[in-house]
């Protein structure tokens, strides 16, 4: 056995994982595929997580933004990657549940990826540009109704979290919005701040810093309790639109067939990140909630994803949201 191979095997014995080629895992950088634009909520989440997981894994973690088609292009890239633990898919309710009911995908969102860990939950926040005259959700809805069909709503593309939540919102209030697709809600938010679009039903973590800075206005969050980071923003129930509850949970997956030991190692690194007070503070500051420890296992994520498919697919199909 060559010296290098012996060294690799010894390192692998110390970390407990030897891959098929006899190397320690991870022996090279890991890529997390973010299916939306840099600067948006999924990208920000991936970067905080990667920064901490890198410490546990002892390897660089590269973030690759593979954008387009509501996140389906990035997820497809992950599905097609080698199941060796060097490609991780980060996504959320939109990319890993909703898109399966909208797009004619060439892969199975549930069965072609193996779950690693549920990371955070994030309510949506209804936000508008400052120039809109409304002061609360009831006034905003009245304003949208008065401008039926003309109000522009930024989204991260068909089937993204912001699109799905926007469609749900327009159905509940009985109006049509003009959806404007972007490659992520990072760029959509920039246009909202600049007054180029009117509203976004956005992930709270994305919009909150701008709301706090006074550059956009928030009307309600789609949860039944207020965010500790923004106690002045009412829930939709309080603001007059009960039942508009959307929790945009985010999670990590790997390509189907990734060895169980590698999934366990990635899971342990994610769990360590979620237990880190510095990470918890960064998440809490933007309203992200870390799930309880028993919900951070691969099995719990599998069960959650399947339950969400059962909950949302019939509604999406009934709403007839399709790719034209
Ligand atoms: C993003 O990172 O841009 C978002 O997750 C997009 C979305 O689904 O609304």
């Amino acid at each position: 056995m060559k010296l290098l191979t012996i060294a690799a095997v010894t390192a692998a014995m110390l970390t407990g994982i030897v891959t098929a080629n006899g190397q320690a895992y991870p022996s090279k950088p890991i890529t997390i595929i973010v299916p939306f634009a840099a600067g948006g909520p999924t990208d920000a989440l991936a970067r905080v997580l990667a920064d901490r997981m890198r410490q546990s894994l002892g390897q660089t973690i590269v973030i690759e933004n593979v954008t387009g088609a509501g996140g389906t292009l990035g997820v497809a890239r992950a599905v097609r990657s080698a199941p060796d633990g060097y490609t991780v898919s980060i996504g959320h309710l939109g990319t890993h549940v909703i898109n399966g009911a909208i797009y004619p995908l060439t892969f199975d969102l549930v069965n072609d990826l193996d779950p690693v860990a549920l990371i955070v939950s994030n309510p949506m926040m209804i936000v508008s540009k400052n120039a809109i005259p409304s002061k609360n959700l009831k006034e905003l809805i009245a304003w949208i109704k008065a401008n039926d069909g003309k109000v522009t709503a930024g989204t991260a593309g068909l089937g993204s979290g912001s699109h799905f939540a926007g469609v749900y919102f327009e159905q509940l209030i009985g109006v049509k919005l003009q959806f404007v697709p972007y490659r992520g809600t990072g760029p959509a938010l920039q246009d909202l701040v600049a007054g180029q679009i009117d509203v976004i039903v956005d992930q709270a973590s994305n919009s909150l810093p701008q709301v706090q800075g006074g550059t956009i206005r928030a009307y309600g969050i789609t949860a039944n309790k207020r965010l500790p980071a923004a106690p002045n923003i009412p829930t939709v129930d309080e603001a007059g639109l009960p039942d508009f509850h959307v929790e945009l949970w985010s999670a990590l997956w790997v390509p189907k067939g990734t060895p169980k030991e590698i999934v366990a190692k990635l899971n342990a690194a994610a769990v360590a990140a979620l237990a880190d007070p510095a990470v918890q503070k960064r998440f809490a500051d933007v309203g992200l909630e870390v799930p309880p420890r028993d919900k951070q296992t691969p099995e719990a994520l599998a069960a959650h994803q399947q339950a969400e498919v059962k909950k949302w697919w019939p509604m999406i199909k009934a709403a007839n949201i399709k790719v034209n």
Side-chain angles (χ1 to χ4, degrees):
M1 211 185 258
K2 290 207 176 90
L3 206 59
L4 262 176
T5 318
I6 295 170
V9 171
T10 312
M13 283 165 67
L14 290 175
T15 59
I17 300 176
V18 187
T19 57
N21 60 7
Q23 290 206 310
Y25 173 82
S27 61
K28 60 176 187 182
I30 296 168
T31 299
I32 298 184
I33 298 181
V34 171
F36 296 106
T42 314
D43 181 73
L45 176 63
R47 287 175 198 277
V48 173
L49 205 59
D51 208 34
R52 180 60 181 77
M53 285 177 71
R54 180 171 50 83
Q55 291 173 31
S56 304
L57 294 166
Q59 267 297 341
T60 305
I61 301 183
V62 178
I63 304 295
E64 194 182 343
N65 300 85
V66 181
T67 66
T72 58
L73 300 187
V75 178
R77 168 86 69 89
V79 167
R80 287 195 303 266
S81 300
D84 56 7
Y86 291 102
T87 304
V88 176
S89 171
I90 191 168
H92 53 48
L93 170 69
T95 53
H96 287 71
V97 173
I98 303 298
N99 280 346
I102 296 181
Y103 286 88
L105 299 176
T106 53
F107 54 90
D108 182 328
L109 266 179
V110 176
N111 293 312
D112 289 345
L113 291 163
D114 285 334
V116 175
L118 186 64
I119 303 299
V120 284
S121 68
N122 195 4
M124 307 301 283
M125 191 182 272
I126 305 163
V127 289
S128 83
K129 65 181 180 186
N130 274 343
I132 285 178
S134 337
K135 295 283 173 286
N136 55 49
L137 186 58
K138 283 189 175 148
E139 286 182 21
L140 177 73
I141 292 171
W143 182 82
I144 294 174
K145 284 185 173 165
N147 292 279
D148 195 1
K150 289 187 252 156
V151 175
T152 50
T155 76
L158 197 77
S160 60
S162 41
H163 178 242
F164 159 67
V167 170
Y168 193 5
F169 179 60
E170 68 173 6
Q171 292 207 339
L172 282 174
I173 66 174
V175 293
K176 281 280 161 214
L177 295 166
Q178 260 190 53
F179 290 111
V180 184
Y182 292 80
R183 288 190 171 264
T185 43
L189 184 62
Q190 283 172 11
D191 268 8
L192 188 75
V193 170
Q196 303 293 323
I197 53 174
D198 298 320
V199 295
I200 309 179
V201 186
D202 194 12
Q203 286 171 60
S205 66
N206 195 41
S207 282
L208 189 55
Q210 294 293 348
V211 172
Q212 287 167 335
T215 53
I216 57 173
R217 197 174 301 140
Y219 298 88
I221 59 154
T222 63
N224 57 13
K225 60 179 190 327
R226 293 188 181 203
L227 291 176
N232 54 333
I233 301 174
T235 67
V236 283
D237 305 73
E238 293 167 331
L241 193 64
D243 303 330
F244 183 34
H245 291 172
V246 183
E247 180 198 308
L248 203 100
W249 53 271
S250 295
L252 301 178
W253 289 262
V254 283
K256 182 85 187 166
T258 302
K260 291 272 169 288
E261 303 75 23
I262 290 180
V263 172
K265 187 148 191 180
L266 287 168
N267 175 271
V271 168
L274 299 180
D276 185 325
V279 171
Q280 288 180 352
K281 178 170 182 333
R282 290 188 70 181
F283 286 169
D285 283 350
V286 289
L288 291 170
E289 197 176 325
V290 172
R293 176 66 187 88
D294 65 330
K295 299 281 183 236
Q296 296 171 11
T297 64
E299 296 73 26
L301 173 56
H304 186 57
Q305 187 184 13
Q306 280 159 23
E308 290 283 271
V309 164
K310 277 210 184 104
K311 174 177 170 183
W312 293 111
W313 280 19
M315 184 195 137
I316 297 291
K317 289 183 175 156
N320 207 22
I321 309 169
K322 284 195 195 123
V323 185
N324 293 320

